[in-house]
C-alpha cells in the first residue's frame, strides 16, 4: 500500500483510517495501544474515529461525520415509565423501533437507540425447544434483553446510523456539545411533526433532538404510514437485521430443511377469551381457536401446499404433539428438531422468534395466522386488528 505523504507531516489524526490501521500494524503492540489511547481522547478526532473506536466500521458511517447530529426517543422502546412486564410483544416493539429509525433517516440523524428491549413474560414461555417436557408455566427468567443480542447494530447502521444508548455514547455526544459551546444544542420536543423538525431551524440546528414519543406506543408517531410515501423502511427491515449468530443458525436450519413450506400458528397469546355478563365466552377472533387446530389447518392449506412437502411449523402452542395429526400429509419440522443448533445460542423467545421468522421468510409457500396484506395466505379469515368487537367463538364448520 502506498503511504500518503501526510504521514511524515505528523498530522496523524487526519489520516484516513485504513492508513492509520496500516501504520498501527507496522509498529509494536505497546506503542499502538498508547497511540490509540491518545487518539481516542483527543479533541481533534473526527466522529468517524470515535465510531470506529465504539466498534463501527468507518465505511458504514457517513462522510459528513463532523456534522453528525443525533435523535433520541428514550431509553426503552414503547414502555415509557412502565415496567417491561406491561409491554407488548416483539412485533409491536419493532413497529415502534422502525418508526424511530424512519424519523432518523428522514432527519439525517444518528438514532441513539435503546440498549435494551423489554421482554414481556407472556411472550417468553419456555418449552419450544424441549417440547417433550414443556409446561406452560416455565418462563425464561428475564424482563429484558440486550438490543445487541437481537439485532446486528452494524448492519442496521448501513441503512440508518445508530448508536446504543449507553454511557460511552453520551460521553461522546456531551463532549461534542461542550466543544460547540452554544445554547440550544439539545432541544426537547413532544408532539412536533418530523417535517417541522426538519424545516424549523430551531430544531434542525440542534446537536441532539430529544423527543418524548407517544406514551401509548412509539409507532403512534408514524400514524401517516397509510400514506405509502411516508414509509421509508419495509416491514421486513428489522427481521432481516437479526444478529449474525441468529442469521447463521437460521441458515443452517434452512439448509437442512431443503425445499420447504411454512406456517405460523399463533394460538396462546391471541386466544384470549373472556366471559360477558351472561357468562358466555367471547373472543376478539372468534374463528381463531378452530382455524388453528390441525384438522382445520389441514383442510385450509391443502390447496396451497401439496402432500409430502416438508412443513415447518412455528407456533406458540405448547401442548406436546398438538400438530402431530398433520404428519399424515406432511413431513413436519419444528424448532425443536434443531435443538442442537438452537440450544447453545437461544436465551429468550424473542431470539427464537427471530430465527423462526427468517425460516418462514425462506419458505417456498408461507401461510400466516391472519392476513395482514392483500397477497398474504392465512389460516384464519378473522380481521387481525380487532380490539372492540367481542364475539362468541365458533367451533363448527361454517
Ligand atoms: C424434564 O422434567 C423433569 C422433571 O421436572 C426434569 O427432571 C428433567 O430434567 C426435564 N428434562 C428436560 C430435558 O428438560
Ligand atoms: C425559534 O425560536 C425563537 C425563540 O423561541 C422564536 O422567536 C422564533 O420564531 C423561532 N423560529 C422559528 C423558525 O420558528
Ligand atoms: C429527554 O427529555 C426527557 C423529558 O423531558 C427527560 O426526562 C430526559 O432526561 C431527556 N434526555 C436527555 C438525554 O436529554
Ligand atoms: C421433528 O420432530 C418430530 C418429533 O418431535 C418428528 O416427528 C419429525 O419427524 C421431526 N422432523 C424432522 C424433519 O426431522
Amino acid at each position: 500500500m502506498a503511504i500518503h505523504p501526510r504521514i511524515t507531516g505528523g498530522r496523524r489524526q487526519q489520516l484516513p483510517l485504513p492508513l492509520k490501521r496500516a501504520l498501527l500494524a507496522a509498529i509494536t503492540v505497546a506503542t499502538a495501544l498508547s497511540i490509540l489511547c491518545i487518539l481516542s481522547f483527543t479533541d481533534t478526532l473526527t466522529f468517524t474515529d470515535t465510531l470506529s473506536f465504539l466498534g463501527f466500521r468507518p465505511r458504514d458511517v457517513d462522510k459528513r461525520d463532523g456534522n453528525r447530529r443525533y435523535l433520541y426517543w428514550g431509553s426503552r422502546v414503547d414502555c415509557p415509565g412502565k415496567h417491561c412486564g406491561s409491554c407488548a410483544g416483539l412485533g409491536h416493539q419493532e413497529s415502534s423501533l422502525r418508526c424511530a429509525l424512519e424519523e432518523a433517516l428522514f432527519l439525517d440523524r444518528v438514532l441513539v437507540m435503546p440498549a435494551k428491549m423489554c421482554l414481556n413474560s407472556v411472550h417468553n414461555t419456555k418449552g419450544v425447544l424441549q417440547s417433550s417436557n414443556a409446561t406452560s408455566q416455565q418462563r425464561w427468567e428475564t424482563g429484558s434483553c440486550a438490543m445487541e443480542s437481537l439485532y446486528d447494530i452494524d448492519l442496521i447502521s448501513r441503512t440508518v446510523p445508530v448508536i446504543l444508548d449507553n454511557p460511552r455514547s453520551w460521553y461522546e455526544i456531551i463532549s461534542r456539545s461542550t466543544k460547540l459551546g452554544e445554547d440550544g444544542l439539545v432541544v426537547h420536543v413532544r408532539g412536533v411533526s418530523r417535517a417541522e423538525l426538519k424545516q424549523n431551524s430551531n430544531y434542525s440546528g440542534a446537536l441532539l433532538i430529544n423527543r418524548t414519543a407517544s406514551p401509548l406506543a412509539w409507532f403512534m408517531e408514524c400514524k401517516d404510514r397509510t400514506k405509502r410515501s411516508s414509509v421509508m423502511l419495509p416491514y421486513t427491515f428489522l427481521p432481516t437485521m437479526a444478529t449474525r449468530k441468529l442469521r447463521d443458525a437460521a441458515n443452517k436450519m434452512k439448509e437442512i430443511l431443503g425445499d420447504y413450506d411454512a406456517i405460523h400458528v399463533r394460538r396462546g397469546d391471541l386466544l384470549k377469551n373472556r366471559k360477558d355478563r351472561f357468562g358466555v365466552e367471547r373472543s376478539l377472533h372468534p374463528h381463531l381457536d378452530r382455524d388453528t387446530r390441525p384438522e382445520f389447518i389441514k383442510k385450509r392449506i391443502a390447496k396451497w401446499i401439496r402432500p409430502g412437502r416438508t412443513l415447518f411449523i412455528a407456533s406458540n402452542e405448547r401442548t406436546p404433539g398438538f400438530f402431530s395429526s398433520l404428519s399424515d400429509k406432511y413431513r413436519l419440522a419444528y424448532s425443536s428438531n434443531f435443538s442442537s443448533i438452537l440450544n447453545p445460542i437461544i436465551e429468550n423467545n424473542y431470539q427464537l422468534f427471530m430465527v423462526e421468522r427468517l425460516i418462514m421468510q425462506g419458505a417456498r409457500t408461507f401461510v400466516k395466522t391472519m392476513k395482514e396484506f392483500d397477497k398474504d395466505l392465512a389460516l384464519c379469515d378473522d380481521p387481525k386488528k380487532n380490539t372492540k368487537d367481542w364475539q362468541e367463538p365458533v367451533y363448527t364448520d361454517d
Side-chain angles (χ1 to χ4, degrees), residues 174-195:
I174 288 160
S175 50
R176 273 200 60 205
S177 128
T178 26
K179 203 163 62 192
L180 293 169
E182 287 161 41
D183 288 335
L185 284 170
V186 179
V187 293
H188 305 278
V189 302
R190 173 174 219 141
V192 179
S193 76
R194 65 176 62 163

Side-chain angles (χ1 to χ4, degrees), residues 131 331-334 336-337:
S131 56
R331 183 175 159 258
L332 303 184
Y334 313 87
S336 54
N337 291 87

